[in-house]
Amino acid sequence: MLTYHMESRGSLPLYEFLYQKIRQDILTGTLTAHEKLPSKRKLARHLQISVITVENAYAQLVLEGYVYSQEKQGYFVSPLALETTVPIQTMPAGSQSRTDGSTTLRHPPVTEALSYTEFPFSVWARLMRQILTEENKTLLAPTPFHGVTELREAIAWHLFHFRGMTVSPGQIIIGAGTEYLYGRIIQLLGKDLRYAVENPGYPKIARIYQHYGAVCQFIPMDDKGFSVQALTWTGAEVTHVSPSHHYPTGIVMPAGRRFDLLAWAAQHSSRYIIEDDYDSEFRYQGRPIPSLYSMDQSDKVIYINTFSRTISPSIRISYMVLPPPLVERYQSELSFYSCPVPSFEQYTLARFIRQGYFEKHLNRMKTAYRKQRDGLKSALRQAFGSIPHQFIGEDAGLHFLVKVDTKKSETALIRTSRASGLNLSFLSEYVHGRSDEYNATLIVDYSRLDPGDLDVTARQMADLFRTSDE
């Protein structure tokens, strides 16, 4: 029977402490592949905790792929290909907490309606006035090539506390959007390498790599995400993945597949993984999915994230975290590039993070988006009625999929959608090459909808499947 001293959890919630202890036992081999875990009731009784606590811990382990369940049999340990232990994270030096106060190129959803109404404009304006008063001399000084120190320190602090990542400010490069950072990565690693991208996936990524002269390999997805076996066959050296919440399928890459991918990267010095963590902040059930970077033991992961999703697309501030061996290389080869983000915005964002406003804003946005998602799902259920449909990937991000069981051709569905002004996105439009696997699967972006239009939008979507030509 699993035995843990629950009173030593400190300030952690019971379910998270239990999740961490079982996860640690799996990673260290104390619990072996396919070993059966105690039933929820037995473990709850043994540890003198509630069944709900055990259920939540098991659910998180299943979500991340450390455990799998079999109906009427229970929970079992998933086999992990990479024998490794994820280290306990410690705060990096210089980051101590402060309390100073396909067919059509379509963009992934951007925050518009709710982000505008929920954003704390008064707070942001006050911080801007403070920066103008207190940092007036600094604002006129040259900006470091990798961004102002205050913002890089704030991001390192945020990543440690909210993503479990130990990074130093010196590893962080500030950029004007992720497209800018993709270009810098190609210049850093070399355009003569083969770059692998997810298929289906956001097509702009491949176009950027190809624009810089790099060869792109399109790697098929399965129900666990990126296929490492297919990746190996292509001979690619660099792979671009979004393991915490893939766009557009919503797949979360399980732990076993993550270790396979990390093992692939560790086999050759030229191999690297670009981890695109673009909307990891928006998870509505369980704890955040750990980043690949936090699991990496070979310095092979380049981590990328953006504030375009959490604050506004117009802010145009993104960042990447380079593994230590690449930091010196970047400084010697690419530090002649000036930082493209004005220091005024960087200082403002740094205070927004450090003074706790960013966390409060995220919490408000998660609440608002959860309400928006639930409202739209309810409206869709009612509107679709007897039309067979299934929601996919609704537990995270700002979109979900609706797979509809219909005999109508997708070509006709797309044509009718455009003609009616709905302009819906279909999953098949994000596939490189032909595939019938994703027929009649809608990408529903609820972040851009007006809360008062949910019922109307749902009825329009349902009518599409009732009235489209064959």
Side-chain angles (χ1 to χ4, degrees):
M1 180 64 71
L2 301 178
T3 301
Y4 307 114
H5 300 291
M6 305 302 288
E7 65 275 6
S8 64
R9 73 182 190 279
S11 60
L12 284 177
L14 280 170
Y15 92 92
E16 186 168 345
F17 179 77
L18 180 59
Y19 149 82
Q20 288 187 3
K21 299 301 289 187
I22 297 175
R23 175 174 174 265
Q24 183 179 11
D25 283 349
I26 293 172
L27 289 171
T28 57
T30 304
L31 294 172
T32 58
H34 305 295
E35 182 176 343
K36 191 175 189 298
L37 297 179
S39 71
K40 291 179 287 188
R41 293 189 180 279
K42 286 183 179 179
L43 185 57
R45 188 165 52 248
H46 176 68
L47 298 177
Q48 297 184 344
I49 56 179
S50 71
V51 175
I52 294 296
T53 296
V54 179
E55 185 176 338
N56 288 339
Y58 278 6
Q60 187 68 30
L61 291 164
V62 170
L63 178 64
E64 295 184 19
Y66 291 101
V67 168
Y68 65 93
S69 63
Q70 292 186 344
E71 189 175 0
K72 297 183 180 180
Q73 295 188 44
Y75 294 86
F76 301 84
V77 176
S78 299
L80 302 179
L82 186 60
E83 296 289 339
T84 185
T85 300
V86 178
I88 298 175
Q89 302 291 331
T90 56
M91 274 296 286
S95 297
Q96 287 73 26
S97 175
R98 297 188 300 186
T99 57
D100 50 358
S102 132
T103 52
T104 305
L105 179 58
R106 305 173 67 78
H107 296 272
V110 294
T111 54
E112 287 184 357
L114 283 177
S115 65
Y116 179 81
T117 58
E118 297 290 335
F119 186 74
F121 286 102
S122 60
V123 171
W124 190 264
R126 185 173 71 250
L127 294 176
M128 293 176 72
R129 290 193 296 269
Q130 290 176 4
I131 296 300
L132 285 172
T133 302
E134 300 170 14
E135 304 286 351
N136 50 10
K137 293 182 179 179
T138 313
L139 290 174
L140 298 178
T143 303
F145 71 92
H146 44 11
V148 301
T149 302
E150 286 80 353
L151 179 56
R152 290 183 287 110
E153 287 179 344
I155 290 173
W157 179 89
H158 172 76
L159 289 175
F160 177 78
H161 286 90
F162 295 94
R163 296 299 285 131
M165 295 168 55
T166 299
V167 306
S168 71
Q171 293 175 251
I172 298 172
I173 308 294
I174 306 297
T178 51
E179 295 93 341
Y180 171 88
L181 296 174
Y182 299 159
R184 293 294 169 264
I185 289 173
I186 295 172
Q187 290 178 291
L188 180 65
L189 300 181
K191 65 179 180 181
D192 54 324
L193 301 180
R194 290 176 178 264
Y195 289 74
V197 296
E198 297 156 321
N199 188 29
Y202 180 38
K204 195 173 186 179
I205 295 171
R207 291 191 63 176
I208 291 172
Y209 289 144
Q210 292 167 338
H211 176 77
Y212 278 88
V215 174
C216 266
Q217 302 286 346
F218 294 84
I219 310 301
M221 305 277 290
D222 59 25
D223 61 345
K224 296 180 181 179
F226 202 80
S227 172
V228 179
Q229 185 178 34
L231 172 65
T232 303
W233 292 340
T234 66
E237 293 99 342
V238 183
T239 179
H240 188 125
V241 297
S242 47
S244 294
H245 183 243
H246 173 254
Y247 186 86
T249 66
I251 292 172
V252 176
M253 185 182 290
R257 181 65 59 84
R258 290 171 181 242
F259 283 129
D260 289 341
L261 186 57
L262 290 169
W264 167 86
Q267 289 172 1
H268 295 284
S269 60
S270 62
R271 290 181 178 176
Y272 285 95
I273 301 167
I274 301 169
E275 179 181 14
D276 198 332
D277 210 27
Y278 73 103
D279 71 351
S280 60
E281 295 86 358
F282 296 109
R283 174 154 291 282
Y284 308 114
Q285 292 185 1
R287 64 191 300 279
I289 304 298
S291 65
L292 265 180
Y293 185 97
S294 64
M295 302 169 68
D296 179 27
Q297 298 295 290
S298 303
D299 291 330
K300 288 294 185 177
V301 178
I302 300 171
Y303 177 92
I304 290 184
N305 208 334
T306 178
F307 293 99
S308 296
R309 304 285 285 170
T310 53
I311 297 181
S312 169
S314 63
I315 194 171
R316 302 304 297 166
I317 299 180
S318 300
Y319 63 93
M320 66 178 172
V321 180
L322 297 176
L326 289 180
V327 173
E328 183 177 350
R329 182 171 163 187
Y330 188 98
Q331 185 165 356
S332 64
E333 297 180 11
L334 297 174
S335 61
F336 65 88
Y337 280 108
S338 300
C339 180
V341 181
S343 59
F344 184 36
E345 283 83 353
Q346 293 191 54
Y347 283 116
T348 305
L349 179 57
R351 292 200 183 189
F352 192 68
I353 296 171
R354 281 295 200 178
Q355 295 183 14
Y357 297 116
F358 183 54
E359 181 183 358
K360 293 177 182 177
H361 174 63
L362 281 179
N363 290 336
R364 283 195 302 269
M365 294 306 299
K366 282 195 287 188
T367 299
Y369 283 132
R370 184 188 294 111
K371 181 179 179 180
Q372 184 91 328
R373 177 204 62 180
D374 293 345
L376 182 57
K377 285 176 61 180
S378 177
L380 285 169
R381 287 193 191 98
Q382 184 173 357
F384 271 80
S386 61
I387 301 174
H389 64 282
Q390 175 188 4
F391 297 125
I392 302 172
E394 68 268 36
D395 291 335
L398 302 178
H399 77 282
F400 57 81
L401 304 181
V402 182
K403 185 173 179 59
V404 184
D405 186 4
T406 180
K407 295 182 180 179
K408 300 180 185 296
S409 75
E410 187 158 287
T411 300
L413 290 170
I414 293 174
R415 183 174 64 248
T416 306
S417 166
R418 304 292 186 266
S420 65
L422 273 177
N423 200 29
L424 295 174
S425 292
F426 288 79
L427 184 55
S428 61
E429 297 179 272
Y430 292 81
V431 179
H432 179 79
R434 290 190 57 83
S435 174
D436 296 327
E437 180 181 355
Y438 305 108
N439 184 58
T441 302
L442 294 170
I443 303 173
V444 181
D445 167 20
Y446 51 87
S447 71
R448 304 179 69 174
L449 298 175
D450 187 302
D453 292 339
L454 300 185
D455 290 336
V456 173
T457 302
R459 287 196 297 270
Q460 289 176 326
M461 290 174 60
D463 288 345
L464 177 67
F465 292 90
R466 295 191 180 97
T467 61
S468 294
D469 299 328
E470 295 293 336

